[in-house]
Amino acid sequence: MEQHRPPDPAIELKGISKAFGSVQANKGIDLRVMPGTIHGIIGENGAGKSTLMSILYGFYKADAGEVFIHGQRTRIPDSQAAIRAGIGMVFQHFKLVQNFTVLENVILGAEDGRRLRPELFRARGALKRLAEDYELIVDPDAKIEDLGVGMQQRVEILKALYRQADILILDEPTGVLTPAEADHLFRILDNLRAEGKTILLITHKLREIMAITDTVSVMRRGEMTATVNTAETSPEHLAELMVGRKVLLRVDKPLATPGKTVLEVEDLRVTDSAGVARLKGISLNVRAGEILGIAGVAGNGQSHLLEVLGGIRPATGTVRVNGAPIDLSGRCSDGQSRRARGVAHVPEDRQREGLIMEFAAWENMAFGYHHAPAYQKNALLMDNAAIRADTVTKMGHFDIRPPNPNLAARNFSGGNQQKLVLAREIEQHPDLLVVGQPTRGVDIGAIEFIHQRIVALRDAGKAVLLVSVELEEILSLSDRVAVMFDGRIMGERQAAQTDEKELGLLMAGMHGGAD
Amino acid sequence: MDVIPRWADVILIPLFSLVLAALLSAGVILAIGEDPVAAVKMMVNGALGSTYGWGYTLYYATNFVFTGLAVAVAFHARLFNIGGEGQATLGGLGVALVCLDLPWPHWILALPAAMAAAGLFGAVWAAIPAWLQARRGSHIVITTIMFNFIGAALLNYLLVNVMRPDGAMDPATRKFPPGTHLPTLHDILGLVGVPFSKAAPANISFLIALGACVLVWALIWRTRLGFQIRALGHSEPAAVYAGIRPVRIVMLTMLISGALAGCMAINNVMGEAERLVLNSVEGAGFIGIAVALMGRNHPFGVLLAAILFGFLYQGGAELALWTNIPRELIVVIQALVILFTGALDNMVRIPLERIFLTLRKRGA
């Protein structure tokens, strides 16, 4: 019988190691990805996925190990070399020039010769062919700033393909997409695979891994812990591999028993400094003992809603907390006045807003509550010892590791940073918790814990307003769900009586049947 | 975890930087045909070898403590106040107004009033750039530097046209009355029987500078205002989230910073010159930047750095007086110290981090 030699893997990594200071980000990573397949890489935040991809794309130099592309030992000192080797990368945060057209962005950096026109002509033809082959349909003359995120992502993919990439790396590609846009992306990836392209998909969403990949590798603490065929595994099994123990993927929560209305919002409007209307008449209410989830694709006004409720941004309209109106003018209302009214706010971005990264944990525990009487020694001085003691207690309640109140916030992992913020806000026993993206960039183990705490606050009879771009999170935590699109609320549903498909339509701005 | 232990960060790095600066300075002295060892001996002798030398070293150090603290306080809010020169100039005006026109019976009464005036004038001079920064976004580096020139011009005008006694040739005020003369270290130490040079200008302001270090330390690390200043300095979006009002904090920080710089005038104007002259600040406002940089914006570090620069000033003056080493070279040496301790921090830090990493790996 004739021995058929299997093809060389499109990517083969042997013993890749990389350390940053004393942190070993990658430890002896081996990886084989066969051509014409979609290979998923999952892992918690800080597991080393991004470092590995950065090495593959020439941003970092590995301390040890070898890279083979189609069987050829390849050195990738910079991204130009990666492009020459046929590797294309689609970043989580797009790298597009906002006021250039699609066509100009595609040729940017790949211009040939002195004159632009022939290259633009050539690119136009190439884009047309790519659009036909892969359903990658984008108007080549549209300006980037006029395109939605889904379209912008297609431009990123087109850029890579125009540079003859046959290995495509996508870093968390669905984070900013509606479910429908994500489905479209998956169809594109499917077409690319059919044409023999190799795709590396980095994600933390187990559902996507199950839906689209052929094989999947799991990373944990800098090591590649397992590589399995997707068909032979399950989400529960993958989650266990990622975390190293069994994980509850669904929140078990008792039925809500809503009490009196805590938060009433009427006709809330916000116009930003550029004169763009961001909130166009939001009305909603949250009752004690229930969680209202606000679903929506990022950038549809949820952040502005959070900022208004947290006292960061002025607005017009009416907001009442426990029946009493609060000042929205921005003159004598700020985060302090909100806290005094029993409103706690967990901001969307813990590193930018929620924490001072250079402050120690104990200083962060007093952050925003630095006027609290319990934290003062006398009229002049703060009681640092009392704050430290309080921090130790709260770190225990929230299982924050390491339980060292003197450690700077930046030295905690993402999950523990988020727990610091949540511990600070929840342990103030607010009447209303306004929380944005509570588990963004947080590992699965911590997600489970954070969800339990939010539900526990609800069960203690407090009102919770939850904003998240993760539909799964919205559906599993909320009692009611409101969907925001373009600064408006498109509809409200009972969480138990809706599904991702219906919410997805609302998120895309389509009224889904009867309201 | 931090790569370098804290003690190494605050002691080893400045020390290595100083050694490097000293070596390079020695090379420069060699290059102009002088003996660096003899030069060092002369500097140490001149600045620290007698109570007279100490008296000058501490006098300069007092100036630098005030201006260094001013820079340090502002820097905790990430405001780069390089207007210490102008603020100290205006502080001098405040001291002169208080001392000249009121019949002070005793310095104990005059000093608090002079300090209040010096602080107020310095604060006002910082308030305008602060307001422009907080409300209008005009960069504080540009505006404070411009206010240095405006302050100098204003004082020039006042001294020449308004405050100069009739018939005097010198653009300066008349002498302050005796009721405002501050006790020198000679007077103070004499009380406890310690002999100290009578001619040296160091005075009670040095003790006040020490007190200011303690107060600034408490302000930054023990009070709510300090907490808010540091929070704003690290992250404005986070500060706004926490309900801290940036405009308010920027204003308060700059007022405190300006007041500290202004208070320098009790040392140089009230304590030493006992009248207001042109350019009384003599660059101490700018040295304050180097002092704060080297002192890592910590009051204790500022104190040590101020004494070091006081030593360089006094030792340098001796060097220029007794050797062929020109005065300009003293400036070169001071510049080298600033360069190595401030600007080239990473040159020492990165190799040191490597050493500590290897040590730790071996230890682990």
Side-chain angles (χ1 to χ4, degrees):
Chain A
M1 212 177 98
E2 193 191 330
Q3 189 70 33
H4 193 75
R5 194 172 153 270
D8 286 317
I11 307 168
E12 183 165 22
L13 305 180
K14 284 185 184 168
I16 297 283
S17 290
K18 173 78 187 169
F20 296 103
S22 56
V23 180
Q24 193 75 35
N26 284 164
K27 274 181 263 186
I29 301 275
D30 296 323
L31 177 70
R32 286 163 64 92
V33 180
M34 301 311 286
T37 64
I38 299 182
H39 189 102
I41 295 185
I42 56 168
E44 300 188 291
N45 257 62
K49 299 172 305 216
S50 301
T51 305
L52 190 64
M53 292 309 120
S54 298
I55 288 169
L56 199 49
Y57 200 63
F59 281 169
Y60 294 142
K61 191 173 158 292
D63 299 335
E66 297 175 323
V67 177
F68 296 84
I69 302 294
H70 295 298
Q72 295 276 315
R73 169 104 202 265
T74 310
R75 284 193 49 237
I76 307 176
D78 53 37
S79 57
Q80 290 295 322
I83 292 166
R84 277 198 300 278
I87 300 173
M89 181 116 174
V90 177
F91 292 94
Q92 196 174 358
H93 302 286
F94 307 142
K95 304 197 183 301
L96 298 169
V97 182
Q98 289 292 317
N99 56 354
F100 274 20
T101 64
V102 170
L103 205 56
E104 287 167 332
N105 266 290
V106 165
I107 65 159
L108 186 67
E111 309 93 336
D112 212 14
R114 225 178 265 275
R115 288 171 56 228
L116 218 47
R117 203 168 287 275
E119 185 71 25
L120 280 170
F121 184 75
R122 196 160 40 224
R124 193 178 291 275
L127 284 196
K128 195 152 175 265
R129 271 195 309 282
L130 289 169
E132 284 161 8
D133 290 352
Y134 303 116
E135 255 188 278
L136 273 163
I137 302 148
V138 192
D139 172 11
D141 297 313
K143 281 199 174 156
I144 296 299
E145 57 201 2
D146 301 329
L147 296 178
V149 275
M151 284 290 182
Q152 293 191 19
Q153 189 173 55
R154 282 182 215 170
V155 178
E156 285 282 9
I157 297 175
L158 283 169
K159 265 168 72 180
L161 295 177
Y162 184 70
R163 286 161 179 71
Q164 316 287 323
D166 73 337
I167 298 168
L168 213 53
I169 306 171
L170 293 108
D171 189 3
E172 299 283 0
T174 60
V176 290
L177 303 184
T178 62
E181 284 174 321
D183 284 343
H184 191 131
L185 172 68
F186 289 161
R187 279 208 304 283
I188 293 169
L189 296 184
D190 226 12
N191 293 335
L192 289 168
R193 167 167 58 186
E195 291 289 316
K197 307 274 185 197
T198 310
I199 294 162
L200 263 178
L201 179 69
I202 301 160
T203 179
H204 65 279
K205 292 183 184 166
L206 295 168
R207 200 170 53 91
E208 291 170 6
I209 292 286
M210 300 309 294
I212 185 90
T213 63
D214 301 301
T215 46
V216 51
S217 296
V218 182
M219 287 189 75
R220 173 149 54 99
R221 292 198 195 122
E223 286 178 273
M224 200 66 96
T225 49
T227 298
V228 291
N229 287 325
T230 311
E232 296 160 14
T233 184
S234 67
E236 288 76 18
H237 181 227
L238 287 176
E240 200 181 323
L241 285 172
M242 274 165 76
V243 185
R245 62 178 171 84
K246 280 215 181 297
V247 183
L248 269 176
L249 287 178
R250 277 254 153 201
V251 187
D252 282 325
K253 61 176 200 285
L255 219 59
T257 49
K260 68 179 175 61
T261 304
V262 173
L263 174 72
E264 293 163 89
V265 176
E266 270 168 42
D267 196 32
L268 198 64
R269 288 168 192 277
V270 164
T271 304
D272 69 12
S273 53
V276 181
R278 294 298 187 172
L279 294 184
K280 303 171 179 170
I282 297 281
S283 296
L284 53 82
N285 61 72
V286 190
R287 293 162 67 182
E290 74 165 352
I291 300 176
L292 173 68
I294 307 273
V297 179
N300 278 293
Q302 306 98 308
S303 309
H304 295 80
L305 177 62
L306 282 173
E307 286 176 5
V308 169
L309 294 176
I312 296 171
R313 182 183 284 278
T316 60
T318 320
V319 173
R320 275 188 292 270
V321 175
N322 288 326
I326 57 178
D327 182 7
L328 298 175
S329 68
R331 268 197 307 277
C332 42
S333 67
D334 56 21
Q336 286 300 320
S337 67
R338 296 296 194 276
R339 286 173 180 84
R341 298 287 294 275
V343 180
H345 174 200
V346 175
E348 291 184 294
D349 190 335
R350 60 179 165 271
Q351 304 205 340
R352 202 177 107 86
E353 296 182 321
L355 297 167
I356 300 279
M357 301 306 281
E358 292 81 3
F359 271 14
W362 68 269
E363 288 172 300
N364 274 301
M365 202 54 88
F367 189 54
Y369 299 95
H370 45 274
H371 293 291
Y375 290 160
Q376 316 303 323
K377 192 182 275 174
N378 51 42
L380 279 177
L381 302 181
M382 292 177 82
D383 192 345
N384 292 355
I387 303 174
R388 270 200 191 86
D390 190 44
T391 304
V392 171
T393 314
K394 288 174 179 171
M395 285 178 117
H397 290 173
F398 275 75
D399 190 29
I400 296 167
R401 289 178 209 186
N404 175 0
N406 298 320
L407 205 60
R410 74 178 125 82
N411 293 327
F412 288 90
S413 70
N416 281 302
Q417 287 173 0
Q418 187 70 3
K419 282 197 210 168
L420 267 175
V421 180
L422 279 155
R424 179 180 72 210
E425 301 301 329
I426 289 180
E427 296 265 315
Q428 295 290 336
H429 309 294
D431 294 332
L432 170 68
L433 178 71
V434 181
V435 48
Q437 322 299 348
T439 57
R440 176 184 279 172
V442 165
D443 42 73
I444 289 194
I447 290 178
E448 186 188 1
F449 183 88
I450 289 169
H451 283 176
Q452 284 166 357
R453 280 307 158 115
I454 293 175
V455 170
L457 190 73
R458 177 201 78 160
D459 292 341
K462 311 294 187 180
V464 178
L465 181 85
L466 164 76
V467 168
S468 175
V469 291
E470 304 279 350
L471 254 188
E472 275 181 89
E473 178 166 78
I474 291 280
L475 277 170
S476 78
L477 271 184
S478 314
D479 302 306
R480 281 186 299 134
V481 182
V483 180
M484 274 185 80
F485 174 77
D486 193 26
R488 290 191 184 87
I489 294 208
M490 298 303 289
E492 218 181 273
R493 301 282 185 274
Q494 294 295 322
Q497 290 159 16
T498 186
D499 54 24
E500 297 204 0
K501 203 170 157 209
E502 186 185 23
L503 295 181
L505 285 174
L506 291 169
M507 283 163 71
M510 284 168 264
H511 278 285
D515 231 352
Chain B
M1 246 181 75
D2 297 327
V3 183
I4 292 190
R6 203 171 148 67
W7 63 268
D9 185 33
V10 296
I11 298 172
L12 275 190
I13 291 179
L15 204 66
F16 281 144
S17 304
L18 274 182
V19 168
L20 285 175
L23 287 178
L24 210 59
S25 305
V28 176
I29 294 173
L30 266 180
I32 61 167
E34 296 283 334
D35 178 3
V37 178
V40 168
K41 261 189 196 155
M42 181 160 295
M43 280 183 82
V44 173
N45 255 329
L48 310 174
S50 62
T51 58
Y52 174 81
W54 270 105
Y56 266 98
T57 299
L58 292 183
Y59 163 72
Y60 290 127
T62 307
N63 286 343
F64 303 152
V65 167
F66 280 115
T67 53
L69 287 178
V71 175
V73 166
F75 194 77
H76 279 285
R78 290 300 178 277
L79 294 165
F80 203 16
N81 176 16
I82 54 178
E85 194 78 8
Q87 289 143 22
T89 302
L90 267 285
L93 181 62
V95 166
L97 291 179
V98 163
C99 291
L100 282 173
D101 295 331
L102 295 168
W104 294 104
H106 195 270
W107 65 266
I108 281 209
L109 297 172
L111 181 59
M115 260 185 91
L120 181 71
F121 275 61
V124 165
W125 212 240
I128 305 165
W131 191 84
L132 289 170
Q133 167 81 63
R135 282 280 177 203
R136 294 272 172 265
S138 315
H139 203 287
I140 200 139
V141 167
I142 310 290
T143 47
T144 47
I145 255 209
M146 282 159 56
F147 266 69
N148 286 340
F149 290 101
I150 300 172
L154 176 67
L155 198 72
N156 205 336
Y157 171 82
L158 288 177
L159 284 179
V160 171
N161 297 303
V162 183
M163 300 176 85
R164 181 169 52 97
D166 289 337
M169 306 283 283
D170 193 13
T173 66
R174 62 189 152 81
K175 272 262 179 200
F176 296 164
T180 66
H181 291 180
L182 295 181
T184 61
L185 283 191
H186 167 81
D187 302 330
I188 298 167
L189 291 172
L191 292 178
V192 289
V194 179
F196 198 86
S197 164
K198 202 171 157 75
N203 58 72
I204 192 165
S205 306
F206 176 66
L207 302 182
I208 292 173
L210 292 183
C213 287
V214 177
L215 284 181
V216 166
W217 172 82
L219 167 76
I220 296 294
W221 280 285
R222 286 293 181 272
T223 67
R224 270 178 314 224
L225 178 60
F227 187 88
Q228 296 178 68
I229 289 173
R230 286 184 294 130
L232 179 68
H234 285 305
S235 166
E236 178 161 345
V240 170
Y241 154 78
I244 295 166
R245 288 192 222 140
V247 171
R248 192 183 134 88
I249 299 298
V250 164
M251 287 304 296
L252 283 174
T253 309
M254 281 304 289
L255 288 178
I256 293 170
S257 173
L260 280 165
C263 278
M264 180 193 125
I266 61 162
N267 186 47
N268 66 332
V269 176
M270 193 177 183
E272 198 255 347
E274 297 180 341
R275 59 182 189 144
L276 186 59
V277 298
L278 270 185
N279 189 27
S280 59
V281 182
E282 293 181 308
F286 293 113
I287 297 292
I289 300 168
V291 165
L293 216 62
M294 190 177 174
R296 298 265 183 282
N297 298 305
H298 191 289
F300 187 64
V302 165
L303 177 64
L304 291 184
I307 292 174
L308 173 76
F309 274 88
F311 160 76
L312 286 176
Y313 250 58
Q314 170 56 14
E318 291 285 314
L319 215 54
L321 194 59
W322 300 111
T323 67
N324 290 328
I325 298 174
R327 179 134 202 123
E328 287 68 30
L329 199 77
I330 312 304
V331 180
V332 170
I333 294 173
Q334 287 161 357
L336 282 170
V337 171
I338 296 175
L339 188 68
F340 277 92
T341 55
L344 295 180
D345 186 69
N346 275 341
M347 201 173 79
V348 176
R349 181 180 299 274
I350 289 168
L352 210 62
E353 279 181 355
R354 290 226 182 92
I355 293 169
F356 270 97
L357 263 182
T358 18
L359 284 180
R360 192 174 302 157
K361 264 181 197 157
R362 227 173 269 165

